[in-house]
Amino acid sequence: MSAPLAVTLEPFRKQLEGVSGQPQKTALEALHHTGLPDRRVEDWKYTSLRFLAGSVFHKPGKNYDSAKARAALAALGLAEGAVAELPRLVFVNGHFVADLSVTKGLFACSFYTADKAEPGSLVRSDREPLAALNTVLAENGVVISVPEGIDAGQVLLVSLGQADSDAVSYHPRHSVHVAKGGKLSLLSVQAGEGHYLHNPVTEVFVAAEAELRHVTLQAESDAAANLSTLYAQIEERGNYDSFVVGIGAALSRHEVHACLAESFAQVHINGVQRLAQTQHGDITSVITHAAPDCISRQTVRNVLDDRARGVFQGKVLVEQIAQKTDGYQMNQALLLSGQAEIDAKPQLEIYADDVKCSHGATVGALDDDQLFYMRSRGVPEGEARQILIDAFLEEVLELIGDETAREVCKTVIARRFPVSEEGA
């Protein structure tokens, strides 16, 4: 191993020792070849993994603090109301916790006991180093399978991190299969306490005429990193409707690779980031139109305060066969501080000649005239600012089709960013 690579992988050295299994060994070879990405890699030019340097990430044990886990569920609003009645799969430090889960007949099993020869057919460990690291170190995860023609309703997938004196890293591998004509609404919630790395990989398969609504609420610890990679394949007339809300973690990246594999498939990859202090949040997507008559939509809005930095990289790739593609992409940012920063790189790569594709990006600040108008009518400055911020986010949050998931996201955002008393 060369010296630069040894430094790059040093935080995981203890966990990488003694790797067994051919898929894991193959992924480790790819990881040795590429190393973890730095900013010289084009897709990582705006996001640095320096946050991981200087730490030694240990393999977490299966023991956990039950009281803290239950308190975390309550703080996230998952222990009351309609969401408390949902089937629930809970992981702590990457390990499934049956005592906190309520399966209610849900067909789910550990990823590595599932009936499959390889740990995932969509993952490209040779191209995505974080996915390679996941393949090497993954020990647990869940397979959710919706049978043909069945509406499975709503399911809650919760990941909680617990780190005390030692930093830990965990790398769950999840897989969601919705068979022909099936339906599922999945709410993934990620949170925790302490210094840890959560590096999940999720594979999504949406069969013909099936529908999956997938909302991810990332509210990790302020001392944590969340580096998430998701792969989705959508077949004829299937619909994958995804939304990510990023408000937590010191460093986060939500990377999506979606392939519209057959005609008349649809994908929506929307999201919001609400960041402050020195948080860094990255939403990166690659949407491949590999069949004709498909639709893709992506709208992402960022609210950035203090010295927070947001990143949006969205690529729409239209292959030659994908005639009559309809693709739309928009990124908008609201900067609340002169030190906040947004980096936006929307991309179109088109090889077909009968398409309708567009992209755009806007950056702005709060409207002084609107602030003055509300303050002149007795609205305190802090409340006036919050009203404008909420209005900016509300339009996109309404794209969350599942009402329960939408209300959970709004509640958690409001708790993390209460109305300021400034100017009251």
Side-chain angles (χ1 to χ4, degrees), residues 166-187:
D166 292 329
V168 299
S169 74
Y170 50 98
H171 311 259
R173 177 67 66 86
H174 303 303
S175 184
V176 182
H177 299 248
V178 185
K180 182 178 180 180
K183 293 183 179 181
L184 174 67
S185 182
L186 178 65
L187 172 58

Side-chain angles (χ1 to χ4, degrees), residues 51-75:
F51 176 83
L52 306 179
S55 298
V56 176
F57 290 100
H58 298 270
K59 176 181 176 180
K62 293 185 178 181
N63 295 328
Y64 71 99
D65 189 319
S66 178
K68 285 186 177 180
R70 295 181 186 278
L73 293 175

Side-chain angles (χ1 to χ4, degrees), residues 31-261:
L31 194 59
H32 283 332
H33 177 70
T34 63
L36 294 179
D38 59 29
R39 296 179 67 176
R40 292 172 295 179
V41 177
E42 178 63 25
D43 290 343
W44 288 82
K45 66 183 295 184
Y46 301 120
T47 297
S48 169
L49 295 180
R50 286 181 300 173
F51 176 83
L52 306 179
S55 298
V56 176
F57 290 100
H58 298 270
K59 176 181 176 180
K62 293 185 178 181
N63 295 328
Y64 71 99
D65 189 319
S66 178
K68 285 186 177 180
R70 295 181 186 278
L73 293 175
L76 292 163
L78 305 180
E80 57 188 28
V83 71
E85 304 300 321
L86 298 180
R88 183 172 67 216
L89 304 169
V90 179
F91 288 74
V92 177
N93 286 350
H95 297 292
F96 179 69
V97 180
D99 291 346
L100 298 177
S101 301
V102 182
T103 59
K104 292 188 176 180
L106 176 70
F107 177 71
C109 60
S110 171
F111 193 94
Y112 286 103
T113 61
D115 184 17
K116 51 172 58 188
E118 300 289 340
S121 58
L122 300 181
V123 177
R124 295 299 302 269
S125 296
D126 57 331
R127 295 183 181 179
E128 283 87 44
L130 271 299
L133 183 65
N134 175 281
T135 299
V136 175
L137 297 179
E139 291 188 338
N140 213 330
V142 68
V143 173
I144 299 175
S145 181
V146 178
E148 182 174 340
I150 298 298
D151 186 345
Q154 300 167 298
V155 175
L156 183 62
L157 175 61
V158 183
S159 175
L160 301 175
Q162 291 185 354
D164 296 322
S165 57
D166 292 329
V168 299
S169 74
Y170 50 98
H171 311 259
R173 177 67 66 86
H174 303 303
S175 184
V176 182
H177 299 248
V178 185
K180 182 178 180 180
K183 293 183 179 181
L184 174 67
S185 182
L186 178 65
L187 172 58
S188 300
V189 180
Q190 303 163 348
E193 296 181 5
H195 182 37
Y196 59 86
L197 166 64
H198 182 197
N199 178 38
V201 168
T202 304
E203 289 185 297
V204 168
F205 298 87
V206 181
E209 302 175 3
E211 179 180 353
L212 172 58
R213 292 177 175 178
H214 184 192
V215 178
T216 300
L217 172 57
Q218 187 275 106
E220 304 276 19
S221 161
D222 289 340
N226 179 294
L227 303 173
S228 172
T229 310
L230 186 144
Y231 300 85
Q233 179 170 302
I234 306 98
E235 298 181 352
E236 186 175 3
R237 299 185 188 278
N239 182 15
Y240 177 54
D241 188 350
S242 74
F243 199 103
V244 60
V245 175
I247 61 173
L251 169 67
S252 65
R253 179 175 167 111
H254 183 78
E255 182 173 335
V256 179
H257 298 265
C259 179
L260 297 155

Side-chain angles (χ1 to χ4, degrees), residues 311-369:
V311 175
F312 171 77
Q313 298 183 110
K315 180 177 181 178
V316 176
L317 170 61
V318 182
E319 296 182 354
Q320 187 173 3
I321 194 176
Q323 303 295 334
K324 299 189 182 301
T325 283
D326 183 355
Y328 171 81
Q329 193 176 71
M330 174 60 74
N331 175 67
Q332 297 169 301
L334 181 62
L335 305 184
L336 304 181
S337 163
Q339 294 179 301
E341 180 179 337
I342 180 70
D343 294 292
K345 189 178 71 173
Q347 298 172 271
L348 297 176
E349 187 173 338
I350 302 172
Y351 298 97
D353 53 18
D354 184 7
V355 303
K356 183 174 68 174
C357 293
S358 63
H359 64 189
T362 65
V363 181
L366 290 176
D367 191 307
D368 289 336
D369 291 338

